Amino acid sequence: MSSVPTDLFPHPIVQAPMAGGVSVPRLAAAVSEAGGLGFLAAGYKTADGMYEEIKQLRGLTGRPFGVNLFLPQPETADPAAVGVYAHQLAGEASWYGTELGDPDGGRDDGYDAKLAVLLDNPVPVVSFHFGVPAREVLDALRRVGTFTLVTATTAEEAQAVERAGADAVIAQGVEAGGHQGTHRDVPETDGSGVGLLSLVAQVRESVGIPVIAAGGIMRGSQIAAVLAAGAAAAQLGTAFLATHESGAHALHKQALTHPLYVRTELTRAFSGRPARGLVNRFLREHGPYAPAAYPDVHHLTAPLRKAAAKAGDAQGLALWAGQGHRMARELPAGQLVEVLAAELASARTALSAGGAR
Ligand SMILES: Cc1cc2nc3c(=O)[nH]c(=O)nc-3n(C[C@H](O)[C@H](O)[C@H](O)COP(=O)(O)O)c2cc1C
């Protein structure tokens, strides 16, 4: 099996791209400077906004980093179901003193424009979420020297990633915070998500490209576990969401370890696609009724989430978090990389001595 180039990041630790203003340039810079791989999230940004962040990040570090893109989404939503959900959310809009957003706010997330920027101004790594890019796209990125990653949530999706010609696959377990990067949103498969350790082993046996493991990883001992299962590196989101440099709303950071938030759930309440977040009022009240309609529902609820943030109401925010959220440590991001690397080293020593607890 080929491996992830170790000159890209000496520690096998990837900071997950986190759209919505979380993985800001100062976070990615701190991670890359510490020997992990920092990531920018281009999702929900314009191509210009993405390029601005790349320039800012380049001003902060000369180390390698990645940029994450969302694949354009097919028109599968039932407008009537979106209309019914909008009706249900009308009370939220008047409570927060705002209007609902336009569900037709676009479904391609500026994909072509962002790719054009990344081909003109190549970055070391590009990852993709919510589908598999065309082979031509992956080939074009390789020609400009970019290493490509694509998320998969099943062994079959991982095979599709390898067939398309990606350099590595991100195996995202059902424990993961934020959106599941399933290639298609199929409501019939809800509840059938695969746990990370099982997924890594399945993917490892299904493809020859390197595997990066994501989902619920908060400690170096867990990184050791996924490496032992055959992963080349681990991608952590929630752990970095809690760090000083993360751009997450203060209420979101606090909620990760607040006793009020005892569990997470996969929900379509905020975006129309399954995403894991802390169970709060909005998720509890609307999750069961939200249609499979991404990004329509994302556009619809955007003003509600903005108003909840302005009002300081964590019960109306999308509090994305993985199952390990209670283990979050509020540290500078570079220090978190160092602590994780030290924990990984001692777990590996214990494993090789046969004495791992
Ligand atoms: C707040 C948040 C936002 C996320 N946004 C993205 C994103 O924009 N692109 C992406 O590929 N993954 C995104 N993810 C998923 C991560 O890539 C990763 O799969 C996940 O964080 C791993 O689980 P963990 O949070 O338990 O570490 C996001 C996760 C979180 C918590």
Side-chain angles (χ1 to χ4, degrees):
M1 189 187 77
S2 52
S3 63
V4 174
T6 46
D7 56 331
L8 282 179
F9 45 114
H11 298 309
I13 298 169
V14 179
Q15 165 248 308
M18 288 178 278
V22 180
S23 52
V24 288
R26 65 179 181 279
L27 173 59
V31 171
S32 290
E33 282 290 309
L37 184 70
F39 247 98
L40 295 174
Y44 311 132
K45 289 193 179 305
T46 60
D48 285 347
M50 175 193 77
Y51 189 41
E52 276 310 308
E53 285 208 334
I54 292 172
K55 285 191 285 191
Q56 277 180 39
L57 178 52
R58 287 214 146 108
L60 295 171
T61 183
R63 302 278 317 145
F65 63 90
V67 175
N68 174 253
L69 301 186
F70 289 166
L71 269 292
Q73 297 301 299
E75 197 119 11
T76 50
D78 172 3
V82 176
V84 170
Y85 194 52
H87 193 66
Q88 169 166 339
L89 295 181
E92 294 279 348
S94 53
W95 166 255
Y96 285 115
T98 186
E99 305 279 321
L100 292 174
D102 177 4
D104 297 326
R107 1 189 27 90
D108 70 355
D109 201 46
Y111 184 69
D112 290 340
K114 288 173 189 171
L115 275 175
V117 170
L118 294 171
L119 289 171
D120 276 352
N121 308 274
V123 298
V125 181
V126 170
S127 73
F128 296 87
H129 210 51
F130 298 142
V132 188
R135 170 172 281 280
E136 303 78 67
V137 167
L138 296 168
D139 287 349
L141 286 166
R142 180 171 305 109
R143 278 198 298 276
V144 297
T146 298
F147 192 84
T148 55
L149 314 172
V150 182
T151 305
T153 60
T154 62
E156 291 72 25
E157 286 184 347
Q159 285 170 335
V161 169
E162 182 174 51
R163 273 198 306 276
D167 293 313
V169 59
I170 300 166
Q172 187 195 37
V174 74
E175 305 92 330
H179 284 96
Q180 287 282 297
T182 43
H183 295 178
R184 282 190 315 125
D185 182 11
V186 185
E188 292 73 33
T189 61
D190 279 6
S192 64
V194 185
L196 183 62
L197 214 46
S198 179
L199 181 66
V200 169
Q202 290 176 39
V203 170
R204 184 72 181 74
E205 290 190 11
S206 308
V207 299
I209 52 176
V211 180
I212 296 178
I217 300 175
M218 305 298 285
R219 296 287 185 264
S221 56
Q222 293 170 283
I223 301 176
V226 293
L227 297 185
Q235 175 163 299
L236 290 71
T238 306
F240 284 104
L241 196 152
T243 59
H244 295 183
E245 292 87 347
S246 135
H249 195 291
L251 291 172
H252 192 169
K253 289 189 189 184
Q254 286 159 19
L256 294 175
T257 50
H258 195 286
L260 204 57
Y261 301 99
V262 289
R263 64 191 189 88
T264 62
E265 222 173 73
L266 282 173
T267 185
R268 285 192 166 80
F270 298 98
S271 72
R273 227 184 194 276
R276 185 171 297 283
L278 300 172
V279 176
N280 63 358
R281 181 194 61 79
F282 193 98
L283 188 155
R284 205 178 298 115
E285 287 181 7
H286 302 297
Y289 308 103
Y294 176 88
D296 315 58
V297 173
H298 164 81
H299 296 311
L300 194 65
T301 66
L304 300 179
R305 288 178 275 123
K306 209 167 157 188
K310 203 168 157 207
D313 179 11
Q315 296 295 337
L317 294 177
L319 299 173
W320 302 140
Q323 287 181 342
H325 64 95
R326 289 207 222 180
M327 297 168 86
R329 296 176 280 204
E330 212 191 305
L331 294 172
Q335 200 178 326
L336 178 60
V337 173
E338 286 162 19
V339 170
L340 289 166
E343 290 171 349
L344 167 62
S346 63
R348 283 181 133 175
T349 309
L351 269 177
S352 59
R357 279 184 297 152

